[in-house]
Amino acid sequence: MLQTVWVSSPWRWTLREPACHRGGKQTRWKCRFVRTIIQHLCQRHDTKRPGKVRMLKKIQMCLCFFFVSGILYEISLLSSCFFPYVPMSKHFLTPEQVLNLGKSIIFLETTERLEPPPLVSCSVESAARIYQDRPIILFMKGLTNDTALDLNSSYAAFSLLSSMKNVFIFPLQMEIVFQETPLLQWYNQVVPEQEKNWVHVSSDASRLALIWKYGGIYMDTDVISIRPIPEESFLAAQKSQFSSNGIFGFPAHHKFIWDCMENFVLKYNGNIWGNQGPFLMTRMLKTICNLTDFKGTEDHRCQNISFLNPQRFYPIPYPAWGRYYQVWDKSPNFNQSYALHLWNFMNHNRKAVVAGSNTLAEKLYKAYCPTTYEDLIQNAELRDFTHSEDVA
């Protein structure tokens, strides 16, 4: 059993065993001492001499009570002999500490905005509900270690997401993320201000480094989770013989991700959209797999990587992205899907979920991110009220 110990320096942490199980002689002696004292103080006394014993017994019972209470209190603070784990507020945990717990679901925001829009909030909330036993991490470039954001934040989405026990929001510090990866040299040489697609390129790089270092699943912030993904090492086919990088998962230190990072640097061209993203994943997959067209809803598998059918995440292909914001006579059931990609890049934020519109996207919000949907309704009612007051 591991015990969490907070270290003040960002991105540094320690996990240690409970004190009774560590190897030091001093620690073992303390535990034996505590047990011995408790046993001797609290044992029953001989009752054959009631006159003198009775008073001593009462005194010793009182002393025993206070002594044991003090010992148990200290033990609880040290999380040593009797308590294997003392819960810690998630607000004291560092990014590396959470990531090292394993199997994180990772989202990235590489713009400077600090207020996640409803679709981002829905994506994170839906993942938190589907993967309740896994950490859900939103990295935001606009945050710093000094940014004060908590449950009382003026940013509504932060209050909403922070209230979820398995959601963590951290600053995205690329100079730290890229350390010990092939991407560090590239990052030190690139000039972001001269990059045409820096927001996308920096996101493409960051997701590779994070998954390689810590493992888990990366998801774009326009992906709504609807059921757990059963695969550990997988890529998502956007269409036959073409891989997306909007959602993928691998264990830590997987060779395929390392090779992708090396190719990212070797074939870097920031002027071509997607060259470091879906095109990178596709060309690297083709080096190890003989890709063929999908037939039906089966998945493909190559070496130890699952190449998942487009139905798993892209049942509505990008040319038809607008259908998410239309009213359907009969809504699809998405029985073959694990999550749904809403193609926000194609949308360019022109279309949004409107309460009462009865669109497919609204129904998805209601089903998979109900807290975000409630907040959406309240904000709409507030805007309507404010507008009516202004008119009056």
Side-chain angles (χ1 to χ4, degrees):
M1 184 75 70
L2 293 178
Q3 171 192 351
T4 306
V5 180
W6 175 66
V7 182
S8 60
S9 177
W11 287 84
R12 297 194 57 178
W13 70 293
T14 304
L15 284 179
R16 69 186 185 192
E17 296 180 65
C20 279
H21 302 289
R22 297 200 302 273
K25 294 182 179 178
Q26 182 178 3
T27 301
R28 292 198 299 270
W29 179 86
K30 286 181 179 178
C31 290
R32 289 196 299 269
F33 173 77
V34 169
R35 294 190 185 105
T36 303
I37 291 295
I38 292 174
Q39 290 169 359
H40 281 277
L41 278 180
C42 297
Q43 65 184 352
R44 295 181 61 87
H45 291 274
D46 186 4
T47 58
K48 292 182 179 179
R49 295 161 51 193
K52 295 182 180 180
V53 170
R54 188 175 295 120
M55 183 180 294
L56 288 174
K57 184 177 181 181
K58 290 181 179 179
I59 294 173
Q60 287 182 333
M61 286 179 66
C62 292
L63 290 175
C64 178
F65 173 78
F66 289 113
F67 184 82
V68 172
S69 297
I71 290 293
L72 291 177
Y73 174 74
E74 184 161 344
I75 290 172
S76 70
L77 293 180
L78 296 175
S79 183
S80 58
C81 301
F82 299 144
F83 302 101
Y85 177 70
V86 174
M88 176 182 291
S89 170
K90 70 176 186 177
H91 299 290
F92 291 100
L93 300 176
T94 63
E96 189 173 20
Q97 183 175 353
V98 177
L99 286 163
N100 272 294
L101 295 176
K103 296 187 176 182
S104 298
I105 311 295
I106 298 173
F107 295 89
L108 296 175
E109 175 59 74
T110 51
T111 71
E112 296 290 340
R113 65 185 177 190
L114 286 175
E115 173 64 353
L119 182 53
V120 175
S121 178
C122 183
S123 297
V124 176
E125 179 187 346
S126 65
R129 291 179 180 275
I130 295 298
Y131 302 95
Q132 296 185 22
D133 60 338
R134 301 175 70 162
I136 312 300
I137 307 176
L138 172 60
F139 286 102
M140 302 189 72
K141 186 175 181 294
L143 289 182
T144 68
N145 287 327
D146 299 321
T147 306
L149 294 168
D150 53 28
L151 293 174
N152 299 317
S153 170
S154 59
Y155 296 105
F158 279 103
S159 298
L160 185 159
L161 296 175
S162 296
S163 66
M164 299 179 183
K165 64 180 181 179
N166 60 331
V167 173
F168 302 83
I169 303 175
F170 292 124
L172 176 60
Q173 299 172 302
M174 295 184 191
E175 66 278 6
I176 297 177
V177 169
F178 296 140
Q179 288 179 4
E180 300 177 0
T181 76
L183 298 168
L184 183 61
Q185 182 180 1
W186 160 81
Y187 179 73
N188 289 334
Q189 295 175 349
V190 73
V191 182
E193 294 77 14
Q194 298 178 3
E195 292 292 320
K196 179 181 177 181
N197 298 300
W198 179 247
V199 169
H200 302 289
V201 168
S202 59
S203 178
D204 292 335
S206 298
R207 68 190 70 176
L208 289 172
L210 286 167
I211 294 298
W212 183 80
K213 282 186 171 183
Y214 305 104
I217 296 175
Y218 167 81
M219 294 185 183
D220 277 350
T221 52
D222 56 351
V223 172
I224 297 179
S225 297
I226 62 177
R227 57 178 56 88
I229 301 168
E231 304 287 344
E232 183 178 25
S233 300
F234 72 90
L235 293 171
Q238 184 174 315
K239 59 182 181 179
S240 286
Q241 302 186 42
F242 188 80
S243 177
S244 154
N245 77 327
I247 179 167
F248 60 94
F250 286 89
H253 301 154
H254 196 283
K255 183 179 185 301
F256 179 81
I257 298 298
W258 181 269
D259 292 342
C260 284
M261 291 190 293
E262 289 188 329
N263 191 270
F264 183 106
V265 177
L266 182 65
K267 301 290 185 179
Y268 182 74
N269 187 338
N271 293 322
I272 301 176
W273 187 92
N275 186 62
Q276 321 312 132
F279 293 107
L280 167 66
M281 292 294 204
T282 302
R283 64 177 176 261
M284 294 307 296
L285 188 60
K286 286 182 176 179
T287 63
I288 60 174
C289 301
N290 180 23
L291 299 183
T292 58
D293 289 344
F294 287 96
K295 297 178 181 178
T297 59
E298 86 288 355
D299 298 320
H300 291 174
R301 189 164 182 83
C302 177
Q303 295 188 13
N304 65 346
I305 300 173
S306 294
F307 190 38
L308 301 185
N309 193 286
Q311 288 294 315
R312 305 293 177 248
F313 308 104
Y314 303 100
I316 297 180
Y318 77 89
W321 67 268
R323 299 202 68 189
Y324 280 114
Y325 300 93
Q326 295 175 358
V327 178
W328 291 52
D329 293 333
K330 182 180 179 181
S331 297
N333 54 37
F334 299 118
N335 286 338
Q336 302 296 328
S337 302
Y338 303 132
L340 303 173
H341 191 284
L342 268 61
W343 303 107
N344 199 51
F345 177 74
M346 303 295 294
N347 188 357
H348 297 294
N349 296 311
R350 290 193 300 267
K351 295 183 182 294
V353 172
V354 178
S357 62
N358 203 35
T359 61
L360 176 58
E362 184 191 14
K363 292 181 179 180
L364 294 174
Y365 274 46
K366 285 182 179 180
Y368 302 107
C369 55
T371 308
T372 297
Y373 183 71
E374 289 176 10
D375 185 67
L376 193 71
I377 293 175
Q378 292 175 0
N379 289 339
E381 292 174 347
L382 180 61
R383 285 193 299 270
D384 292 342
F385 176 78
T386 304
H387 178 70
S388 64
E389 289 289 307
D390 292 340
V391 172

